[in-house]
Amino acid sequence: MAKHPGWVSAQQLEELLGVDRKTLFKYRDDGTLKLGPHYAAFPETRSRDSFRWNVTAVKRHLQEQGMMPEISA
């Protein structure tokens, strides 16, 4: 079982949602995604690049903002 269910690395979020890591970090830095609901630090976090991301909250927010990439089947 995961240490923090629902919270994943940037790499995992990139794979799950199809959003490039650089784009995620841009959204984090420009305030599109917020500390707390969208990303957070946990005890094992060593840098900003190792924050964990809330898959459900990020996906919902980006969809509401019309910022989710189209994923082809």
Side-chain angles (χ1 to χ4, degrees):
M1 181 176 268
K3 280 185 175 181
H4 311 288
W7 294 87
V8 299
S9 69
Q11 179 180 355
Q12 290 169 308
L13 189 66
E14 180 180 24
E15 293 169 8
L16 291 168
L17 299 184
V19 178
D20 181 73
R21 267 171 67 126
K22 289 181 182 181
T23 301
L24 287 173
F25 293 161
K26 180 186 91 165
Y27 291 163
R28 175 194 64 196
D29 294 342
D30 73 10
T32 300
L33 297 175
K34 307 285 187 205
L35 180 64
H38 303 122
Y39 64 92
F42 289 94
E44 65 274 7
T45 301
R46 299 291 177 240
S47 72
R48 287 174 18 117
D49 292 336
S50 62
F51 283 142
R52 306 298 275 181
W53 298 80
N54 182 315
V55 178
T56 305
V58 169
K59 181 177 180 180
R60 182 180 314 124
H61 184 72
L62 294 180
Q63 285 175 331
E64 289 170 356
Q65 301 300 312
M67 301 170 90
M68 275 295 292
E70 293 295 323
I71 300 174
S72 56

